[in-house]
Amino acid sequence: MVVTEAMASGLPCVVGKRIGAAELIEDGHDGFLCDPLDSGTVVAPLRRLAATPDLAGRIGSAARTKVGRYSWDACAEATAQVYERVLRDKAGSQAP
């Protein structure tokens, strides 16, 4: 949740490629992906963001827009749709 909260706050994030939140990041568009075992892949985007404040603003804005699709209401609605589909499929498979 830390990554989604940071994105919702409009912060550009540098995220490890192997964590779940990496699925949210389009590298270079709404955040940066790195290999936490390779310090160069962590430091390079941080330096780029520090040197280019307008880039940081664009990345942060894109992050805020992206994560807005994953509000609690949107997630609850998507989950309810999955449950409804499973129940319909189950009811259909039990018909005589």
Side-chain angles (χ1 to χ4, degrees):
M1 295 224 8
V2 170
V3 173
T4 56
E5 289 172 353
M7 291 174 74
S9 297
L11 297 173
C13 296
V14 179
V15 176
K17 293 178 181 179
R18 295 183 187 106
I19 68 167
E23 295 176 3
L24 295 172
I25 305 293
E26 182 182 338
D27 193 34
H29 174 70
D30 48 26
F32 293 96
L33 296 174
C34 69
D35 178 355
L37 301 177
D38 177 356
S39 62
T41 68
V42 178
V43 172
L46 293 174
R47 284 189 174 144
R48 187 172 170 204
L49 290 166
T52 320
D54 61 318
L55 173 65
R58 287 194 310 272
I59 298 274
S61 180
R64 185 181 317 115
T65 299
K66 163 116 17 118
V67 83
R69 300 180 212 151
Y70 301 100
S71 69
W72 285 114
D73 289 342
C75 290
E77 178 62 31
T79 301
Q81 289 175 8
V82 169
Y83 288 151
E84 289 169 3
R85 186 176 68 243
V86 168
L87 290 172
R88 277 193 311 271
D89 291 349
K90 184 173 178 154
S93 68
Q94 293 179 354

